[in-house]
Amino acid sequence: MRYFSALFCSLLLTLNVYSQTLIPTASLNSDTSTVDLSKVKREPFVVPKLDVSPVIDGKLDDEIWKNAKVLRDFIQTSPGDNVAASKPTEMMIGYDETSLYIAFKCWDEKDKIRGSLIGRDEAFGEDNVRVWFDTYDDQRRAYIIGFNPLGIQQDGIVTENQGTDFNLDIVMESKGLIEDWGWSVEAKIPFKSLRYTAGKGKFWGFNAARNIDRFNDELDSWVPLPRNSPGFISKFGKLTGLDEIKTERTFEIIPTLTFKETGSRVSRTKFSNPPIEPDFGFTAKLQISPNVTLDAAYNPDFADTEADAPIVEANQRFENFFPEKRPFFLEGYDVFNTRIQAVYTRRVQNPDVALKLTGKTGKNSFGIFGAVDQPLSDNPNKKKAYVGVMRLKRDVGAESNIGFLATTYNFEQRNIPNGDLFSERQKNNVYGFDGRWKINEQSSFSAQVLRSTAVDRFYNPDTDDDKYEKGNGISHSFGYSYDDKNKGWGFGGNGTSGKYRSNLGFTRRTDSMNNFVYGNLRSDPKPKAFIINKSLNTSFGVRNDYKGRLQGWALEFNLNTDLKGNSEFGFGGFVGNETIYEDEFGRRRTSPTATNGAFLGDPKRSAKQGGGFTYFNKRFNKRFSFYTSANLNFNNFDYDLDSNGFLDPKKGTQWSFDLGTDLKPTDKLNVNLGYSKSKLTQNDTNIVAFDANIFEFRSTYQFSRFVFVKARLDYDTLGSRLFGQYTFGWTPSPGKAFYVGYNDNWRKLSYLAGGQRELTQLNRTFFMKFSYLFRKTI
């Protein structure tokens, strides 16, 4: 550890010296015109009630807008630090008994406005406006709703200290127009599309902003956003006056009908084409009150219209994470999201029915979820799995909270090894507490601990078999952070014991514990300089197993810069050590001289490692953007089996490279091209362990806001696989959709020994999917 300490102290000294140039004095901001922040009032404003609803056409010529509340004096908060905005912006807001109405006027040069026909939730990649509504006024969670100059919608949920989830789709109406003086947008947001606290005299947290893409992604905020303290929602202003909302109970049902035909190759010359498979399902939602919602699903939609992005899967020790895409499971997902990912809904593979109750009453948030699942398996004797989740959280003080999470999973499968019939039941329960303590304006501490009990198969490296037994485990995660305007630091850790099981969660590694410290420095922004922002980050971490054996350590740093002209550049590196043990991979040998272990050769391998990376991204204009990155790592282990089928991890040099571009030849056509390469070469033999190349093509043609065609092609040289997906879609609003598509998979195969490999179609799928939202107030 003496060597580790010397390295870390040296880097801290470098940080201290570098900070003299990284953190400028106040005189360096003398070229910017700071605004009087007192112009933007944090005192609550009253939203006026409108007698007549405006027509949502983007024109802003309705007389009723003269009665709306007008917000001006937007402030540039990025890249500038609360300085004057480059262009003027106005926002108008009003309401009636059923809906909230907002409008924006954005003055600009018509020919420089970046706005085109794009898909929903892609609006923030161009010029846009956005609003945030903290509808519970709890400074913890807020809706974000935005629009590009043509009224394309983007919406999501911002959770303090957890980022933004754009999987939410709110039913609303919007329209935008580009005119000679600039652009405008109008929107109607039904209250029944939101969750909120009802009643007279209630307050909502509120902010609004405009994003000007060509000015280095300039963000002009209505409220000032000081950088001397972390947090975002806590800095919002407040609105009130929504006293005459007509509280409604809303019932929604979305039936989905899918027709699918999947053909598979059974021989070199024969392709099996089974009959068309109709599939019916539905999701339903009952808004019991404005803040409590019950969701139900029968055979919920399986998101056939979008496949997972390809990744390099060679030399992977641990499971890869893929995000959830099914609409039913995405609804209210933020309620179940905690530091430890104990709820990973992709574990619910093929549910028959599912129920979910979520909401917030006072300071208490809750979520209850249950499902009857049919796990995907080739075993004809499988039975159904029963899963459940309960989440409770209570707000404490201004920005702190404490929570409880519990999950359960029960699944019975009948096995017939050697002709003997017997049943095995997987039983898994996970439960524990979490919390966050906001210590002061600059610092906070959060933690979570979970305990698991499971009846399952546990691997024993001493006997080299899986034993069906009961096991208990624990998982923990904690972190402290301090953030000021120009610096930050913190420490944390996480760990998962060997017999911890979370059948409904995502656990990348067990029997491992990691502890770390980190620090960073950030410069004051210079919006007109070539280097607008720069930040320097460093961290040091140590990993060990629960027996106390060292698994590795790493000292890392990176420098990131925002450059003039919508550009980003950065680089970094690390030094460290990784140690692996054969019992992490399989059988543990019976004695030091034995050869019956999982490894061929030494049972323990250790490597001094190092490497570096760099990246560069640039958006040249509305039509063209470019990104690239490269990594080079020394002494990575090769985990693939050798030519004789033995595991003999050797050290190697691995490098990877990514290159991509986004092209927009017209306002309706978007093309994305990408290339990724990853290669590992063993040091002692110079043998190439793997050389993976992935080529990606994506294209969308948007006939109108709601009608499009998409095509994607992915080719992976490692497996010689080609995947294609082609889709026509009509999506007028959330819940209403019609898709027609075709997917296929190809692979290079050799049918004769030594024969030439042929690109052969393995399977293909035609599908047609229709869903429609029925919504009724009861």
Side-chain angles (χ1 to χ4, degrees), residues 111-294:
D111 59 342
K112 295 183 179 180
I113 295 170
R114 295 181 178 178
S116 57
L117 285 174
I118 50 179
R120 186 187 180 96
D121 285 342
E122 297 177 10
F124 291 173
E126 302 184 326
D127 289 349
N128 63 83
V129 291
R130 57 189 80 173
V131 292
W132 292 266
F133 296 115
D134 177 7
T135 55
Y136 292 113
D137 192 29
D138 60 7
Q139 301 182 7
R140 292 165 173 82
R141 176 183 180 274
Y143 290 98
I144 179 172
I145 302 171
F147 314 92
N148 83 342
L150 298 182
I152 305 296
Q153 301 169 2
Q154 183 153 351
D155 46 13
I157 294 290
V158 180
T159 304
E160 193 79 293
N161 302 301
Q162 293 182 10
T164 304
D165 179 6
F166 288 111
N167 289 309
L168 174 74
D169 284 332
I170 293 173
V171 178
M172 54 184 168
E173 185 180 352
S174 62
K175 186 67 182 293
L177 285 177
I178 297 177
E179 313 228 27
D180 291 336
W181 53 267
W183 61 280
S184 58
V185 66
E186 288 178 298
K188 174 184 179 181
I189 307 169
F191 288 112
K192 60 187 177 184
S193 294
L194 306 175
R195 300 183 184 185
Y196 60 94
T197 301
K200 291 188 177 183
K202 298 295 183 180
F203 294 94
W204 288 11
F206 168 81
N207 191 24
R210 174 188 178 183
N211 188 207
I212 308 176
D213 187 57
R214 72 181 185 277
F215 293 153
N216 301 302
D217 203 27
E218 177 178 327
L219 185 73
D220 301 330
S221 172
W222 182 69
V223 299
L225 299 174
R227 302 190 183 194
N228 59 352
S229 64
F232 177 64
I233 301 175
S234 59
K235 299 172 184 176
F236 285 5
K238 296 186 185 297
L239 62 81
T240 188
L242 305 176
D243 297 337
E244 298 183 43
I245 298 176
K246 183 180 179 181
T247 302
E248 300 173 323
R249 283 193 180 92
T250 304
F251 177 71
E252 300 177 3
I253 185 168
I254 305 176
T256 301
L257 183 61
T258 303
F259 296 94
K260 183 188 299 184
E261 181 193 61
T262 300
S264 301
R265 183 165 300 281
V266 294
S267 70
R268 183 177 185 182
T269 59
K270 186 177 180 181
F271 209 88
S272 172
N273 292 291
I276 295 176
E277 304 171 3
D279 194 22
F280 174 76
F282 69 83
T283 59
K285 182 191 301 290
L286 175 63
Q287 193 174 41
I288 300 173
S289 69
N291 56 333
V292 179
T293 302
L294 175 66

Side-chain angles (χ1 to χ4, degrees), residues 44-45 119 189 309 331 339 431 436 491 634 651 689 744 751 755:
F45 67 85
I189 307 169
E331 173 70 23
R339 283 188 66 96
Y431 54 92
R436 178 176 184 267
F491 61 86
F634 300 100
K651 303 172 189 176
D744 62 4
Y751 291 94

Side-chain angles (χ1 to χ4, degrees), residues 709-730:
V709 289
K710 286 185 176 181
R712 65 174 284 182
L713 286 170
D714 301 305
Y715 181 66
D716 181 0
T717 62
L718 191 64
S720 299
R721 292 182 180 273
L722 175 67
F723 171 78
Q725 185 176 50
Y726 315 92
T727 308
F728 167 84
W730 171 72

